[in-house]
Amino acid sequence: MAAGRTALDRAVVAAAALDLLDEVGLDGLSVRRLAGVLGVKSPALYWHFRDKAELLDLMAQEILRPDVHGPARSGQGWQEWVGEGARRRRRALLSRRDGARLIAGTRPGPEIARHAEADLRVLCEAGFTAVGGFRLLVAVGHYVTGFVIEEQGATRRHAALTGPVPDVAEIRASTPTLFSALNDGGAPESDDAFEHGLAALLLGLEAMRTTGSRR
């Protein structure tokens, strides 16, 4: 146990856990499996986290580390600034298998909270109340996480597809409006669909800000 304690640190454990996540997915991840990858006994890992939940928190924080807004550029409106952050968050979650599912069930930690404090101050300077700005960050974060959950779920479903190919003519005949929407607009998990939803969300939040409905 002492050898594991000195040979490992939290960064090494998190990196190995994320690599294992890419290999086996969230459902296949376990402390015992991670210990085997690192060449230690499971108890050695508990020098670095108390339980599996804390390990997942650590992994989530590593995924979100690149997802930092930074200050708005000179002359940059809040909508452009938030939009850039939303796209960066999406890329971060997509960078790992089941990344969005992992994020959805974990706690952010003090470093992410400090970044959220800085982001909230930018929004307050743009005219939001603290409550309104915080709810904006939550709404956009939840939108991105939910969208990526669907993206990654669709990837899993497509990989598992078996059996006969659906009859396109029958689908068109039974659901013509839906067929037209999908045929013209593409998959609901596409980049265009993401941008459409993000734009709608930001426009609605701007309308709330300008009418004073910021809470």
Side-chain angles (χ1 to χ4, degrees):
M1 186 181 298
R5 184 182 182 185
T6 56
L8 300 176
D9 59 32
R10 287 170 69 89
V12 170
V13 172
L18 288 171
D19 288 343
L20 182 59
L21 178 69
D22 284 338
E23 180 183 342
V24 303
L26 189 59
D27 295 331
L29 184 72
S30 68
V31 174
R32 178 176 294 180
R33 208 164 190 170
L34 176 59
V37 168
L38 290 168
V40 298
K41 300 293 185 181
S42 296
L45 296 181
Y46 290 108
W47 286 109
H48 308 285
F49 50 84
R50 289 170 293 185
D51 50 30
K52 185 179 178 180
E54 189 172 338
L55 170 64
L56 297 178
D57 291 343
L58 180 63
M59 294 167 63
Q61 290 157 24
E62 287 299 311
I63 289 178
L64 288 176
R65 196 175 298 281
D67 174 31
V68 176
H69 282 95
R73 298 188 299 273
S74 176
Q76 185 180 33
W78 74 265
Q79 288 172 284
E80 181 185 1
W81 178 75
V82 171
E84 288 178 355
R87 296 179 192 101
R88 188 163 48 248
R89 181 182 182 88
R90 182 184 176 215
R91 289 193 298 270
L93 300 189
L94 285 171
S95 71
R96 294 292 184 172
R97 180 177 174 181
D98 293 335
R101 284 180 61 206
L102 171 65
I103 295 298
T106 52
R107 297 165 293 186
E111 182 181 358
I112 302 300
R114 286 192 293 272
H115 290 307
E117 167 72 16
D119 293 345
L120 188 53
R121 289 179 181 177
V122 172
L123 292 172
C124 288
E125 291 173 0
F128 287 90
T129 64
V131 172
F134 177 71
R135 288 180 178 171
L136 182 156
L137 293 174
V138 169
V140 173
H142 285 182
Y143 167 70
V144 176
T145 300
F147 193 94
V148 177
I149 284 175
E150 292 296 332
E151 282 188 280
Q152 294 181 323
T155 300
R156 289 194 303 273
R157 289 193 301 273
H158 293 160
L161 282 177
T162 57
V165 177
D167 187 326
V168 175
E170 181 180 338
I171 295 173
R172 179 187 291 147
S174 61
T175 56
T177 307
L178 178 61
F179 181 88
S180 176
L182 290 170
N183 190 58
D184 295 342
E189 302 85 14
S190 67
D191 292 344
D192 286 345
F194 175 82
E195 291 295 335
H196 184 99
L198 178 61
L201 180 57
L202 294 177
L203 286 170
L205 290 164
E206 170 64 7
M208 293 177 68
R209 185 187 70 84
T210 56
T211 59
S213 303
R214 289 174 280 178
R215 290 199 63 183

